[in-house]
Amino acid sequence: MLKNNYHVLLASDGAALLFLQKEFPNLESITLPGYNITYTKKGKWLKWKLLRKLPHIKKTLQAEKKLIEKLVNEHRIDGIISDNRLGVYSNKIPSVFITHQLNVLSGSTSMVSSKMHQNIIANYQECWVPDVAGPMNLSGKLGHLPHTTLPIKYIGPLSRMKPQTLPIMYDVLCLISGPEPQRSILEEKLINVFTNSKKKVALVQGVIEDQPSKRTHQNITIFNYLETQGLEKLINQSQLVVSRSGYTTLMDLAVLQKPAFFIPTPGQYEQEYLAKRLKEQGSVPSCKQEKFTELKLQKVGVYTGLKKFVSQEEYGHLFGLFERE
């Protein structure tokens, strides 16, 4: 949007807002109400914990709507692009929802959760899905519906990364992300697995702090977080990546064409589905968190890797929605 001469107002909360502020220090930003979603130590209880959070989520959604209407009435915004913020839309200005989850998997309640999400998407003028429409896609049934009246546009995979030919500095790069406590559980697991390994390992904790930091633990180099340029360089300098099977990670690795091993977040049906789908396709190996060992990485070589996708360079054609009278 900046390349197309739009004035951009950032809105988010918590670590995500801090990250955006560091990436775009010259842009104005505001704080949205927080959903404050945390995970459980045992994945099987995650869905029920989220169900108990529904009253808080509804309250947050209403607070988002109130804040957005205030911004609209003050003429501070002329259009909205919402990345899965359920209450960030207005009937008075063009509003777009970005998601790869047209279907929201939740086990036995998937039909209900998907219908609820689709009803929310219907509040927006357009829904941009970061995937391709055809059968050779990244999101599978998450981002593709057999029949729908939703205003869907497939905009191709999104990635802030670009492939580079750089000398390999690390045998394994561990990328850790997601809410607590599962983020810390995976970090501890990977440090225990790779400590004293013969492999040279880099580990990015995914903890956004005021300042980036770097330390060494035997054969492991640990970064608290990296901004885009640093992370792009580190991935390109690594032989393979061990990470969650979140959709953003899939898009980045598909663009960078980097071999990977996935460890889905326990109880997160979306990540478990994506990891299983790619494993069954023979693209990327994966396993449950508690079963991961260094020996598992030997499987990477017999998988084909992610299908190559090229992220678009120009998105100006999408912004015509915001130019309409």
Side-chain angles (χ1 to χ4, degrees):
M1 296 202 81
L2 294 174
K3 288 180 181 178
N4 285 272
N5 299 313
Y6 285 89
H7 296 284
V8 180
L9 172 66
L10 298 174
S12 189
D13 71 285
L17 178 59
L18 182 59
F19 175 79
L20 288 170
Q21 290 169 335
K22 289 180 177 295
E23 289 283 310
F24 302 98
N26 296 322
L27 293 183
E28 181 185 358
S29 61
I30 60 173
T31 302
L32 292 175
Y35 285 93
N36 301 322
I37 300 296
T38 56
Y39 285 8
T40 54
K41 288 187 176 181
K42 292 186 177 181
K44 65 180 181 179
W45 301 116
L46 177 58
K47 178 170 68 174
W48 306 113
K49 183 173 183 178
L50 292 176
L51 286 173
R52 290 198 300 271
K53 292 278 289 187
L54 282 178
H56 172 74
I57 293 173
K58 183 178 180 180
K59 185 178 179 180
T60 302
L61 191 149
Q62 292 170 342
E64 284 181 331
K65 287 182 179 179
K66 186 176 179 180
L67 177 57
I68 293 302
E69 288 307 309
K70 183 175 184 291
L71 293 173
V72 172
N73 292 334
E74 292 174 350
H75 304 289
R76 293 187 62 192
I77 54 176
D78 301 304
I80 294 169
I81 299 177
S82 169
D83 178 8
N84 277 283
R85 298 291 305 213
L86 308 182
V88 179
Y89 67 90
S90 172
N91 295 325
K92 298 177 183 178
I93 59 174
S95 301
V96 173
F97 194 71
I98 294 184
T99 185
H100 65 281
Q101 293 188 80
L102 302 177
N103 284 311
V104 178
L105 304 186
S106 58
S108 60
T109 55
S110 292
M111 185 177 296
V112 174
S113 56
S114 296
K115 186 62 178 177
M116 289 172 63
H117 202 228
Q118 291 162 21
N119 287 340
I120 289 170
I121 294 172
N123 291 314
Y124 293 77
Q125 277 80 10
E126 291 184 0
C127 176
W128 296 350
V129 178
D131 199 358
V132 294
M136 299 300 292
N137 57 69
L138 271 177
S139 62
K141 67 181 180 182
L142 294 175
H144 299 80
L145 300 173
H147 306 287
T148 184
T149 58
L150 293 174
I152 295 170
K153 280 188 178 180
Y154 289 94
I155 64 173
L158 297 171
S159 177
R160 55 201 169 110
M161 308 291 181
K162 292 182 180 179
Q164 302 177 52
T165 303
L166 297 174
I168 297 298
M169 303 293 292
Y170 296 97
D171 301 305
V172 179
L173 168 60
C174 300
L175 294 178
I176 304 174
S177 60
E180 297 290 2
Q182 288 298 334
R183 191 212 63 80
S184 292
I185 292 172
L186 180 59
E187 177 183 339
E188 183 179 358
K189 171 75 173 180
L190 293 176
I191 289 176
N192 287 337
V193 166
F194 287 112
T195 296
N196 298 319
S197 166
K198 294 181 180 179
K199 291 182 170 61
K200 190 173 181 181
V201 178
L203 185 145
V204 180
Q205 295 173 301
V207 177
I208 310 298
E209 297 175 324
D210 290 337
Q211 297 294 329
S213 67
K214 175 182 175 181
R215 62 186 174 89
T216 301
H217 174 75
Q218 296 187 33
N219 59 308
I220 306 173
T221 302
I222 300 174
F223 304 84
N224 58 345
Y225 79 95
L226 290 168
E227 295 181 4
T228 297
Q229 189 174 4
L231 183 59
E232 175 185 273
K233 181 180 179 181
L234 186 60
I235 295 175
N236 279 293
Q237 289 178 321
S238 301
Q239 188 69 41
L240 67 89
V241 174
V242 175
S243 70
R244 296 296 194 195
S245 49
Y247 193 66
T248 298
T249 302
L250 262 65
M251 292 191 291
D252 287 339
L253 296 180
V255 168
L256 295 174
Q257 284 294 278
K258 188 61 61 173
F261 190 100
F262 290 139
I263 306 172
T265 302
Q268 192 176 105
Y269 290 96
E270 172 210 354
Q271 290 193 15
E272 291 173 344
Y273 164 75
L274 289 170
K276 182 180 178 181
R277 179 172 183 261
L278 290 169
K279 188 174 185 178
E280 291 177 346
Q281 289 176 348
S283 301
V284 182
S286 59
C287 73
K288 292 183 178 180
Q289 186 165 276
E290 64 272 15
K291 292 185 177 181
F292 179 75
T293 65
E294 185 178 343
L295 288 175
K296 297 277 188 183
L297 298 184
Q298 295 178 0
K299 298 180 179 180
V300 173
V302 300
Y303 283 74
T304 61
L306 289 162
K307 180 181 181 297
K308 186 174 183 179
F309 286 96
V310 179
S311 61
Q312 297 184 43
E313 294 289 333
E314 177 54 53
Y315 293 92
H317 64 284
L318 294 172
F319 304 145
L321 176 70
F322 304 115
E323 302 297 334
R324 300 172 188 171
E325 291 286 328

